[in-house]
Amino acid sequence: MNEMVTSTGTGGRAGRREWMGLGVLALPALLVSIDVFVMLMAVPHLSADLHASGTEQLWIMDVYGFMIAGFLVTMGTLGDRIGRRRLLLVGAAAFAGASVLAAYAPNPEALIGARALLGVAGATVAPCTLALISNMFADPRQRSLAIGVWLVCFMGGAAVGPVFGGAMLERFWWGSVFLLGVPAMALLLALGPVLLPEYRDPTGGRPDLASVALSLAAILPVIYGVKEIAREGWRPVPAAAVLAGIVIGAAFVRRQRRLADPLLDLRLFRSRSFGAALGGMFSITLLGGAVMVFITQHLQLVEGLSPLEAGLWLLPGVAATAVGFLASPLLARRVRPAYLIGAGLLVSVAGMVSLTRVDATSGLVALVTGFAVSNLGAGPMVTLGTDLVVGSAPVERAGSAGAINETSGEFGFALGIALFGSVGAAVYRAQFTIPSGVPDPAGRVARESAAGAVSVADRLPEPLGAAVLDVAHQAYTSALHTVAAVAALLLLAVAISVAILLRHVRPSGTAGTTGAAAATGVAGPADASEADPAAVSA
């Protein structure tokens, strides 16, 4: 029998204690997200102080995300087995300790090691908090709203990270940005045992260490290879890393099929709701993340804004995201998720189409508006999709389901940047014509990327530099147009597919539905009407 302690009871409505507990869970989510993006501001300062090489700077930036992606599946399953609250508190203590080590790192190697520890600790946050939310909020309407609140904090760190980082760096040394998380984690350690319920599945067995090793050996090379391809283009080593990760991933899947207590329960994918929601989440992360990168680069390279100014101009998009996340659960009480998600994605398509109208010389308002509209439309997919992924899993697999959801997002974001980065780079090079009078070496550098064009323009005489910038701005804007147009077409296909696949799911306000059954709209994920025939036959 599952060991579960919760104040709501089975199927009960959450009270003040649960909502206060949600606030405690939102803090680490915000801080883990901030920690990803605050480094954008801190790297120039710490690199100068620690004398970090270019390779060391890349590892300082990337190792955190690598470790989070690699350990999500392991931590999700581990939390299900040893206790979700227990693992979250252990992760919080480790995160606080690693933050102090990073803040006072004496050299690049020590900072890379501390960032790796931060990533492992941060991997406990998303799966454990999502699983705990599913325990605390048994009522489907409350659960979807709670997930929306949590997502606002989790996604909000992407925008406020650079702003917080810039403000801290103006007053303190670079290590101060790492200390942001210490008070929040201390608060979680103090209040977590009081406000958060514990849950573990004592029948889950011991974690299979071979599966843990295989999962890391599959995920880490793929994430590394995809990020390197996005940064440097198709090269032998990153391509080999991706191929090796895929081969090891196949071995991991075969092992999970044979184990009585697998690290990753592949039966979760038999649920049509689970698969459709996960696929939609992967697609919107892949498409939206890639377009966001182009938007942030356009703000800096074409509009000429500083990173801090660019972050501030992205705040309307963050506000639209918050509105979408919080409004979607309320609307889903009366509207079927399929229709709500489909309509929202059509709004995102409209935002993407508006980005194709951005002008290279006066497109700031159109750019920010298009970004905000696309984010607003993504709200139902992200909020209700997360709820469907977690809610359609058995209660003893909620942590594992949350981990799969977050791992999918990591892969989608990295793959989207790699694929659309290649498309955008090809369009940029095709549209860039070297102005007459520009030396060939400088022209070739400018033709490779907009960042290279800005660097070249600074070293050329004024008329030539201005000509290079003008051509680069037009070419990069064309690349943005192409990426946004392709994303709009693909989002339209996703909207239609998700609306069809999820049409059986009832509104969360439907009488008589609770827990996983309310999320799926059927008796449960094991119900024959819910299962995908192809997945069952496999």
Side-chain angles (χ1 to χ4, degrees):
M1 181 177 180
N2 293 335
E3 174 183 308
M4 182 174 180
V5 180
T6 175
S7 60
T8 62
T10 304
R13 286 180 59 81
R16 179 182 301 176
R17 179 181 177 184
E18 285 71 37
W19 289 107
M20 292 174 63
L22 177 64
V24 173
L25 291 176
L27 277 175
L30 177 65
L31 266 298
V32 168
S33 181
I34 285 177
D35 215 62
V36 174
F37 294 92
V38 75
M39 288 300 296
L40 297 174
M41 306 295 294
V43 163
H45 300 268
L46 64 88
S47 298
D49 192 23
L50 299 180
H51 307 290
S53 66
T55 301
E56 288 170 336
Q57 291 178 40
L58 291 177
W59 276 107
I60 290 170
M61 283 288 296
D62 290 343
V63 71
Y64 179 78
F66 288 161
M67 292 296 103
I68 285 182
F71 279 91
L72 275 170
V73 171
T74 297
M75 294 303 182
T77 303
L78 187 62
D80 289 339
R81 295 180 179 181
I82 72 169
R84 294 160 183 172
R85 185 183 67 188
R86 178 184 301 172
L87 183 60
L88 179 61
L89 295 179
V90 170
F95 195 94
S99 296
V100 174
L101 292 176
Y104 295 99
N107 52 57
E109 294 81 7
L111 182 55
I112 291 170
R115 290 276 290 168
L117 291 175
L118 280 168
V120 176
T124 67
V125 171
C128 288
T129 50
L130 280 173
L132 285 170
I133 287 173
S134 73
N135 297 148
M136 296 159 61
F137 298 91
D139 181 84
R141 294 175 297 180
Q142 289 187 320
R143 185 183 62 241
S144 59
L145 182 59
I147 287 176
V149 172
W150 180 81
L151 282 169
V152 168
C153 294
F154 197 78
M155 299 293 186
V160 301
V163 177
F164 277 15
M168 295 287 287
L169 292 169
E170 285 182 1
R171 295 168 176 81
F172 308 104
W173 92 112
W174 58 265
S176 64
V177 299
F178 294 108
L179 298 179
L180 284 170
V182 175
M185 295 304 175
L187 188 63
L188 172 61
L189 290 170
L191 298 180
V194 178
L195 297 175
L196 302 178
E198 181 58 290
Y199 177 95
R200 71 181 181 90
D201 177 18
T203 66
R206 301 172 68 88
D208 180 55
L209 296 181
S211 293
V212 172
L214 284 173
S215 72
L216 293 175
I219 294 172
L220 292 178
V222 173
I223 293 290
Y224 164 78
V226 169
K227 286 194 173 186
E228 286 299 304
I229 290 170
R231 182 183 291 128
E232 301 290 343
W234 290 92
R235 300 195 178 190
V237 173
V242 172
L243 180 60
I246 292 173
V247 171
I248 297 172
F252 171 79
V253 170
R254 284 198 300 270
R255 183 173 182 83
Q256 303 316 293
R257 291 183 183 277
R258 296 197 303 266
L259 293 175
D261 297 307
L263 180 70
L264 178 62
D265 191 350
L266 299 178
R267 291 174 297 178
L268 291 172
F269 292 91
R270 295 177 181 177
S271 165
R272 189 171 65 189
S273 293
F274 183 93
L278 191 67
M281 293 280 289
F282 174 82
S283 299
I284 203 165
T285 305
L286 183 148
L287 300 171
V291 172
M292 180 179 176
V293 169
F294 273 87
I295 289 172
T296 56
Q297 293 297 304
H298 195 282
L299 288 171
Q300 296 177 68
L301 299 175
V302 178
E303 302 294 340
L305 303 178
S306 69
L308 179 58
E309 291 171 331
L312 292 174
W313 274 101
L314 291 175
L315 289 180
V318 176
T321 301
V323 171
F325 285 173
L326 296 177
S328 299
L330 302 178
L331 294 173
R333 296 177 182 181
R334 297 183 176 274
V335 182
R336 284 181 178 263
Y339 305 149
L340 191 56
I341 291 173
L345 291 179
L346 291 180
V347 173
S348 289
V349 169
M352 295 294 181
V353 171
S354 69
L355 291 175
T356 65
R357 314 305 300 171
V358 170
D359 187 79
T361 56
S362 58
L364 183 58
V365 174
L367 190 75
V368 173
T369 302
F371 176 62
V373 171
S374 64
N375 280 10
L376 178 65
M381 180 73 260
V382 177
T383 306
L384 303 182
T386 301
D387 188 29
L388 285 166
V389 168
V390 177
S392 61
V395 66
E396 66 272 12
R397 294 288 182 265
S400 182
I404 295 170
N405 183 68
E406 296 304 313
T407 303
S408 171
E410 293 285 344
F411 274 114
F413 187 75
L415 185 61
I417 292 174
L419 294 177
F420 283 91
S422 299
V423 171
V427 173
Y428 174 85
R429 288 192 292 268
Q431 294 292 321
F432 190 96
T433 303
I434 301 175
S436 60
V438 175
D440 285 342
R444 287 195 297 270
V445 172
R447 191 170 180 269
E448 282 300 310
S449 68
V454 172
S455 176
V456 165
D458 290 339
R459 300 194 300 267
L460 291 174
E462 177 61 28
L464 288 180
V468 168
L469 283 180
D470 182 62
V471 175
H473 291 171
Q474 296 292 340
Y476 195 83
T477 302
S478 296
L480 172 65
H481 291 169
T482 301
V483 170
V486 174
L489 290 174
L490 294 178
L491 275 177
L492 181 60
V494 172
I496 296 171
S497 300
V498 171
I500 293 173
L501 292 172
L502 294 179
R503 65 186 184 277
H504 65 286
V505 182
R506 297 192 295 270
S508 61
T510 302
T513 58
T514 59
T520 59
V522 295
D527 186 84
S529 65
E530 169 69 5
D532 182 88
V536 173
S537 64

